[in-house]
Amino acid sequence: MVYCTSFEFKIGLIYVASTDKGVCKISVPRQNRKDFFRWLHDNFDNNDVVDNRARNKDVIDQLTRYFNGKLAKFTLPVDFIGTPFQIRVWKELSKIPYGTTISYKQLAKRLGTSKGFQAIGRANAANPLPIVIPCHRVIGTDGSLVGYSSGIKTKEFLLKLEGALMI
């Protein structure tokens, strides 16, 4: 079963979905309800998707504390839905500490693929768990805010929230 719900926060409407293994999808503003449910239906049987806020209480609580500046490390169990390469990238992303950034080049080096920038960029863009798996902490080699599927404004907001960006 996949348990989904939405909640409103100051950055907008956020959709979340969890399985019995853990949170599997978070859609932040710029990804609408249609995109969220398309992803769910692409990855799960339609009959297995149910509305259940109670099953996502911990996800909502931790995201709320994060957005209020009271949580620096998520402790949610996750259920990665992706290719082996994507999952490898996402696991590496989860090691980037709160309030810090790394470049795509540094991420490629950590993954042992010095020429895999585009593949890593695609894996970041496909990250179904933005914020919890902090793809927003990956920036251009020159320090520029590039490549965030939820928009550069959201990336900037998150990095400012974490104190990683002073503008």
Side-chain angles (χ1 to χ4, degrees):
M1 295 299 292
V2 182
Y3 313 99
C4 59
T5 193
S6 63
F7 70 102
E8 187 72 39
F9 203 72
K10 57 187 160 190
I11 66 164
L13 190 61
I14 298 172
Y15 294 92
V16 296
S18 300
T19 66
D20 289 328
K21 293 179 185 176
V23 61
C24 63
K25 178 68 175 162
I26 298 172
S27 288
V28 292
R30 193 168 175 190
Q31 298 170 332
N32 59 33
R33 183 179 193 282
K34 181 179 172 183
D35 296 332
F36 176 74
F37 281 100
R38 182 182 309 118
W39 186 91
L40 289 179
H41 295 304
D42 286 349
N43 290 284
F44 298 98
D45 186 283
N46 291 348
N47 295 326
D48 292 339
V49 178
V50 296
D51 184 23
N52 190 320
R53 187 176 186 88
R55 284 292 201 127
N56 288 293
K57 183 182 178 309
D58 289 341
V59 180
I60 294 169
D61 176 61
Q62 287 193 35
L63 284 169
T64 300
R65 288 189 298 140
Y66 169 83
F67 286 125
N68 285 326
K70 298 184 186 308
L71 181 77
K73 184 165 179 59
F74 290 95
T75 57
L76 298 165
V78 297
D79 185 2
F80 288 117
I81 311 290
T83 68
F85 178 76
Q86 288 172 329
I87 292 169
R88 192 168 142 236
V89 171
W90 301 335
K91 285 181 177 180
E92 193 62 40
L93 289 171
S94 68
K95 297 175 186 176
I96 305 169
Y98 180 93
T100 64
T101 59
I102 66 169
S103 69
Y104 283 95
K105 184 176 184 178
Q106 291 168 311
L107 182 58
K109 187 175 181 181
R110 286 184 183 186
L111 290 163
T113 173
S114 61
K115 296 184 180 180
F117 298 103
Q118 290 179 335
I120 289 169
R122 285 190 299 275
N124 274 10
N127 176 9
L129 297 169
I131 302 167
V132 171
I133 303 301
C135 54
H136 62 277
R137 295 180 189 153
V138 182
I139 59 174
T141 304
D142 63 358
S144 60
L145 303 183
V146 295
Y148 191 60
S149 63
S150 297
I152 297 300
K153 290 285 186 198
T154 302
K155 184 174 193 163
E156 182 179 354
F157 169 82
L158 296 171
L159 292 175
K160 283 181 179 177
L161 175 73
E162 294 183 8
L165 184 65
M166 308 294 179
I167 293 181

